[in-house]
């Protein structure tokens, strides 16, 4: 049945007008917190150029609907799925909807962010309310035109029908709807009545993508724009002493050479401005620069020892402690302790970092691919000592992000260079720039210790040692928190001059492998079934009153049972070795089973069966893309990903030395959804973390050897499992 809710939209916040060019109805809305009452009506709405709000519905006289999608599109599909939710409640045919990317608005709306797999989860209620409110206004307008009560009218497929069977299209009443009051209550659809949500919808940009139409930051051009290629310190910790640009300035196409990095014209970076990208990059390579040591030069071998020393030390921050862990270990029948290690990893987006900036006296115009437009715009205003109202930021589609584009360092570079050069500039990274001047996944080590008593886990202690940053406060409240009486999580970090940050599924991308591999080894030690061990642990969490617990024991149980059923886990075909993992992160419950075969005397990942509970699946086609991409990414980086430093400099700066999974190595991914009508959660990240764990457990069964650090291939070479 449908749900009637009180409307949180005010007239002022829910803009509508018939004064658009060609007539029609324009609706502005807040995707995440409904509409703020203080949102102001423009004085001359006829001149509105869609720059004053971050999202709109525009209904034309012919009934066609344009929906402006406000969130950054990073490949996760929100530019398709978020408008689908609005269109569902608005009740218009999806093939009559046109979608366009909105721009940044810091005044009226919140969370224009692509990160944490949160866009759909946070936008769900407000998106539905927006569509339902617009629909009710159109119904009310039609009812007034007919002189009947609105309760006698229904709307479907962009057409309003009264009790007599008379019909009016949305375009027929859009002008009348524009002058009506916002309804106090609106009805939301029952999920069983959905006609758009839950159906496959192709990417709204797919035609432009496959035909090469301008969409991405690298496509953006303006009259008078120059390209900037930046020479940065060759190692983390180096400082620029001097440089000679005399020969570079004579090179073809070179316009200027600028030292920058501290806003006033100094700093440790050099920008070469040229007419074309190739000219700028070749000129940068020809620069002669002298560098001095600023801070200690770090190497991967030092990091390994530093992390081990941290684990052996006592300087920890305790994030969670339940029961008496020390007593559990004193009274244990057996103690099992293992250490797991992971390397730094770059992001390697298909589209290298780039951004456009035109800094003038009255405006800072920014255009490009960024996951955090609001925060980045604020940082640019602060850097240039300007008012934030002067910053106008337009988002382009991103050719990958994975967390790298959360950080606007490349935007800051473009803005500072434009400010100093007094002209529009687009900074473009080469692949080598992208990999050597990156913000990396931090190297981490986990040490996990379990006390075993009477055939069960009686105590559990997880220690994390990380370069620069420690796990988020929520992660200690993921499974197995609440399932064990004596449970403790401690963290310690080493502050490095190597820049680190979020990498797809932060922390959980490696923590899942460590913890879930450890559980499998505990089950083996206790001689119990690893799946049943997890199910038994989950029973202790059901009905918990501990509000810190983030996962649902019932939903975790559902994905476990579904994965076991669909994979035939426990009864594999001859020659198939299966690894099981169940994990919760980014508000979504996932279980995965990896099938590994031995081919040519080497283990090969052939298939991964995935069970997912992400609530209502808005766009199944898009959901499958995210799930499959996450699994392949998780398998690939666990198997092959490694990134090392020597004297502060990355030892890999292109794909000739940095190993990614190849197409022929990508496993088949088979996905099954737990069907329910719960609000949707994220899918961009949750299937990546369990993949490495499931593969490592299957590898153990196939080879007899456990993996304790990533990448697995290097482990297997060292152990002579593969040649």
């Amino acid at each position: 049945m449908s749900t009637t809710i009180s409307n949180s939209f005010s007239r002022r916040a829910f803009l509508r007008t018939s004064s658009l060019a060609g007539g029609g109805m324009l609706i502005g809305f807040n995707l995440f917190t409904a509409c703020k009452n203080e949102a102001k009506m423009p004085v001359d709405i006829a001149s509105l150029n869609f720059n004053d709000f971050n999202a709109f519905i525009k209904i034309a006289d012919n009934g066609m609907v344009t929906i402006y999608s406000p969130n950054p599109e990073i490949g996760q599909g929100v530019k398709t799925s978020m408008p689908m939710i609005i269109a569902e409640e608005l009740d218009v045919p999806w093939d009559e909807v046109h979608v366009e990317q909105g721009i940044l608005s810091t005044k009226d709306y919140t969370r224009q962010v692509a990160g944490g797999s949160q866009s759909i989860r946070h936008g769900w209620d407000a998106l539905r309310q927006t569509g339902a409110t617009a629909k009710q206004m159109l119904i009310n307008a039609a009812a007034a035109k007919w002189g009947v009560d609105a309760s006698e009218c229904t709307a479907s497929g962009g057409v309003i029908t009264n009790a007599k069977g008379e019909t009016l299209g949305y375009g027929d009443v859009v002008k009348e709807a524009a002058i009506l009051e916002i309804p106090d209550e609106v009805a939301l659809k029952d999920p069983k009545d959905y006609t758009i949500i839950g159906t496959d919808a192709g990417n709204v940009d797919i035609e432009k993508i496959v035909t090469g139409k301008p969409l991405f930051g690298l496509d953006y051009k303006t009259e008078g724009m120059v390209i900037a290629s930046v020479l940065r310190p060759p190692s983390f910790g180096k400082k620029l002493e001097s440089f000679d640009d005399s020969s570079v300035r004579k090179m073809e196409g070179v316009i200027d050479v600028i030292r920058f990095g501290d806003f006033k014209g100094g700093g440790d970076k050099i920008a070469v401005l040229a007419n074309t990208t190739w000219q700028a990059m070749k000129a940068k390579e020809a620069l002669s620069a002298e560098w001095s040591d600023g801070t200690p030069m770090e190497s991967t071998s030092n990091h390994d020892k530093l992390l081990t020393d941290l684990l052996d030390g006592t300087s920890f921050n305790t994030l969670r402690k339940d029961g008496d862990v020390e007593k559990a270990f004193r009274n244990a029948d057996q103690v099992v302790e293992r250490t797991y290690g992971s390397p730094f990893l770059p992001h390697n987006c298909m589209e290298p970092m780039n951004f456009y900036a035109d800094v003038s006296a009255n405006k800072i115009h920014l255009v490009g691919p960024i996951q955090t437009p609001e925060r980045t715009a604020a940082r640019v205003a602060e850097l240039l000592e300007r008012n934030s109202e002067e910053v106008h930021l337009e988002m382009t589609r991103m050719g990958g992000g994975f967390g790298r584009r959360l950080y606007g360092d490349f935007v800051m570079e473009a803005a500072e260079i434009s400010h100093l050069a007094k002209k529009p500039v687009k900074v473009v990274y080469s692949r080598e720039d992208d990999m050597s001047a990156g913000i990396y996944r931090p190297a981490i080590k986990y040490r996990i210790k379990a006390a075993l008593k009477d055939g069960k886990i009686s105590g559990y202690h997880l220690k994390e040692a990380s370069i620069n940053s420690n796990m988020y406060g929520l992660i200690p409240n993921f499974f197995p928190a609440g399932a064990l009486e004596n449970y403790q999580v401690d963290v310690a970090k080493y502050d490095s001059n190597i820049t680190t940050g979020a990498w797809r599924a932060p922390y959980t991308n490696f923590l899942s492998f460590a913890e879930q591999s450890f559980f499998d080894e505990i089950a083996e030690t206790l001689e119990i079934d690893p799946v049943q061990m997890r199910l038994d642990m989950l029973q202790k969490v059901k009905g918990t009153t501990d509000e810190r617990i983030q996962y649902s024991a019932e939903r975790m149980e559902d994905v476990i049972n579904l994965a076991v059923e669909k994979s035939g886990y426990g009864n594999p075909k001859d020659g198939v070795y299966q690894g099981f993992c169940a994990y919760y992160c980014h508000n979504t419950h996932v279980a995965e089973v990896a099938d590994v075969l031995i081919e040519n005397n080497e283990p090969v990942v052939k298939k991964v069966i995935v069970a997912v509970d992400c609530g209502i699946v808005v766009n199944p086609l898009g959901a499958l893309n995210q799930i499959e991409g996450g699994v392949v990414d998780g398998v690939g980086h666990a198997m092959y990903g490694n990134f090392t430093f020597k004297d502060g400099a990355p030892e890999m700066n292109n794909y000739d030395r940095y190993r990614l999974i190849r197409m022929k190595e990508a496993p088949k991914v088979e996905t099954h959804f737990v069907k329910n009508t719960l609000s949707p959660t994220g899918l961009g990240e949750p299937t990546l973390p369990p993949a490495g764990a499931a593969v490592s457990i299957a590898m153990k069964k196939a080879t007899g050897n456990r993996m304790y650090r990533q990448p697995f291939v290097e482990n297997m070479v060292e152990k002579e499992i593969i040649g």
Side-chain angles (χ1 to χ4, degrees), residues 40-67:
K40 296 179 180 179
M41 177 83 78
V43 175
D44 181 11
I45 201 161
S47 65
L48 192 67
N49 61 1
F50 306 117
N51 292 339
D52 299 289
F53 300 88
N54 69 348
F56 298 91
I57 302 172
K58 183 168 70 174
I59 303 175
D61 285 345
N62 64 2
M64 291 298 293
V65 176
T66 298
I67 298 177

Side-chain angles (χ1 to χ4, degrees), residues 24-166:
M25 176 178 177
L26 178 68
I27 301 170
F29 58 90
N30 183 333
L31 287 179
F32 303 107
T33 57
C35 288
K36 295 182 180 178
N37 291 332
E38 66 271 18
K40 296 179 180 179
M41 177 83 78
V43 175
D44 181 11
I45 201 161
S47 65
L48 192 67
N49 61 1
F50 306 117
N51 292 339
D52 299 289
F53 300 88
N54 69 348
F56 298 91
I57 302 172
K58 183 168 70 174
I59 303 175
D61 285 345
N62 64 2
M64 291 298 293
V65 176
T66 298
I67 298 177
Y68 288 77
S69 181
N71 271 34
E73 175 54 64
I74 198 174
Q76 81 281 42
V78 295
K79 192 175 177 183
T80 303
S81 54
M82 295 177 90
M84 285 176 71
I85 300 169
I86 298 170
E88 180 67 74
E89 294 289 354
L90 183 59
D91 229 325
V92 291
W94 181 243
D95 59 5
E96 294 181 12
V97 172
H98 175 67
V99 178
E100 292 192 16
Q101 178 68 57
I103 66 165
L104 170 67
S105 170
T106 59
K107 290 184 177 180
D108 301 313
Y109 308 113
T110 60
R111 209 186 183 281
Q112 280 186 277
V113 175
S117 301
Q118 298 295 300
S119 295
I120 294 296
R121 176 173 175 261
H122 278 280
W124 174 248
D125 290 333
L127 289 166
R128 288 190 299 157
Q129 187 178 349
T130 296
T133 301
K135 173 182 171 181
Q136 188 60 53
M137 291 170 64
L138 292 160
I139 290 174
N140 292 350
K145 200 167 190 176
W146 284 318
V148 301
D149 193 275
S151 63
E152 300 176 21
C153 304
T154 60
S156 179
V159 176
I160 305 159
T161 304
N162 64 21
K164 297 179 181 179
E166 297 172 319

Side-chain angles (χ1 to χ4, degrees), residues 61-364:
D61 285 345
N62 64 2
M64 291 298 293
V65 176
T66 298
I67 298 177
Y68 288 77
S69 181
N71 271 34
E73 175 54 64
I74 198 174
Q76 81 281 42
V78 295
K79 192 175 177 183
T80 303
S81 54
M82 295 177 90
M84 285 176 71
I85 300 169
I86 298 170
E88 180 67 74
E89 294 289 354
L90 183 59
D91 229 325
V92 291
W94 181 243
D95 59 5
E96 294 181 12
V97 172
H98 175 67
V99 178
E100 292 192 16
Q101 178 68 57
I103 66 165
L104 170 67
S105 170
T106 59
K107 290 184 177 180
D108 301 313
Y109 308 113
T110 60
R111 209 186 183 281
Q112 280 186 277
V113 175
S117 301
Q118 298 295 300
S119 295
I120 294 296
R121 176 173 175 261
H122 278 280
W124 174 248
D125 290 333
L127 289 166
R128 288 190 299 157
Q129 187 178 349
T130 296
T133 301
K135 173 182 171 181
Q136 188 60 53
M137 291 170 64
L138 292 160
I139 290 174
N140 292 350
K145 200 167 190 176
W146 284 318
V148 301
D149 193 275
S151 63
E152 300 176 21
C153 304
T154 60
S156 179
V159 176
I160 305 159
T161 304
N162 64 21
K164 297 179 181 179
E166 297 172 319
T167 61
L168 287 169
Y170 283 0
D172 298 327
V173 295
V174 68
K175 293 181 180 179
E176 290 82 354
I179 62 174
L180 297 181
E181 290 298 319
I182 302 295
D184 294 329
E185 294 183 337
V186 294
L188 301 178
K189 279 187 176 182
D190 189 305
K192 68 179 177 56
D193 297 324
Y194 288 161
T195 59
I196 296 175
I197 292 174
T199 63
D200 290 339
N203 188 318
V204 294
D205 285 334
I206 193 64
E207 183 179 349
K208 292 180 180 178
I209 292 172
V210 299
T211 57
K213 300 285 176 59
L215 275 176
F216 300 92
L218 285 174
D219 298 323
Y220 189 80
K221 296 182 178 68
T222 63
E223 188 71 29
M225 180 188 82
V226 300
I227 301 296
S229 185
V230 176
L231 181 67
R232 302 172 184 84
S235 303
F236 287 91
K238 291 282 189 181
K239 298 292 183 182
L240 179 63
E241 288 294 318
S242 62
F243 67 98
D244 182 358
D245 62 1
S246 55
S247 61
V248 169
R249 288 182 177 274
K250 300 174 184 177
M251 295 178 68
E252 182 180 359
V254 172
I255 296 169
D256 202 354
V257 180
I258 298 173
R259 182 172 181 170
F260 76 103
D262 66 1
F263 171 49
K264 303 296 183 182
D268 293 316
K269 303 177 184 179
I270 309 166
V272 177
L273 277 57
N275 291 318
T276 69
T277 303
W278 181 250
Q279 291 170 338
M281 288 183 175
K282 296 306 291 183
K284 180 196 71 173
E285 291 175 5
L287 273 174
S288 175
E290 297 293 329
W291 308 87
S292 64
D293 293 346
T295 54
M297 303 291 108
E298 300 173 21
S299 298
T300 295
S301 57
N302 302 129
H303 295 142
D304 189 73
K305 184 179 184 303
L306 285 166
L307 293 176
T308 299
D309 289 345
L310 281 174
L311 290 175
D312 291 337
T314 58
S315 299
F316 284 92
N317 176 27
T318 298
L319 298 184
R320 177 165 177 151
K321 185 174 182 180
D322 300 339
D324 191 334
V325 176
E326 294 81 2
K327 182 179 179 181
F329 282 103
R330 288 196 304 269
N331 296 336
D333 296 330
Q334 183 180 357
V335 174
V336 178
E337 180 177 288
R338 297 290 183 266
T339 300
Y340 302 84
S342 69
F344 289 95
L345 286 180
H347 294 81
N348 281 306
C349 308
M350 184 173 289
E351 177 193 22
M353 300 303 107
N354 66 90
F355 223 84
Y356 168 88
D358 183 8
V359 179
S360 60
N362 300 317
K363 182 179 179 181
I364 301 172

